[in-house]
Amino acid sequence: MTPRGVAEKEEETETGVAAAPVLEARQLVRTFGPVVAVDDVSFTLAPGEFLTVFGPNGAGKTTLLRMLGGGLAPTRGEVRIGGDRLDPRTSGWWHRLGVLSHPVSYT
């Protein structure tokens, strides 16, 4: 069974050609010294799908989102946007993401 929001295969476009996944995470791992913050996360999102990330404090949600947005390099694994590997060291990738991050105020 595939969780809701996770594609099993590429969807076809109106022209009948398979569309590249919008977002792919492939075996993402992020460590900070001996601490494993994200451990082997993989998923594929097709056009029109969405992903919700939730869990307790310290579960690695923010670390995962920072890797998906290009703000933090994974220790291992890769992120792909529209089939292209995300490489924050190169210019021009950020305009495709639409990521907005801001501090949260509880006052």
Side-chain angles (χ1 to χ4, degrees):
M1 175 186 236
T2 302
R4 181 172 291 164
V6 177
E8 290 184 11
K9 62 179 184 172
E10 294 181 344
E11 291 187 14
E12 289 190 6
T13 64
E14 292 177 7
T15 61
V17 178
V22 174
L23 176 65
E24 291 179 271
R26 296 182 179 180
Q27 299 176 316
L28 291 179
V29 174
R30 179 59 195 207
T31 59
F32 296 96
V35 176
V36 179
V38 174
D39 190 12
D40 196 28
V41 172
S42 295
F43 61 85
T44 302
L45 293 179
E49 293 183 322
F50 63 92
L51 173 71
T52 301
V53 180
F54 62 94
N57 291 345
K61 301 176 300 292
T62 300
T63 301
L64 174 62
L65 292 174
R66 288 180 61 206
M67 287 190 293
L68 295 175
L72 182 65
T75 303
R76 285 195 313 272
E78 67 180 8
V79 175
R80 291 186 170 268
I81 308 292
D84 297 326
R85 186 171 184 186
L86 175 65
D87 185 354
R89 297 170 298 183
T90 62
S91 63
W93 60 266
W94 52 269
H95 72 278
R96 299 176 63 189
L97 296 180
V99 173
L100 176 63
S101 180
H102 61 87
V104 176
S105 174
Y106 294 104
T107 58

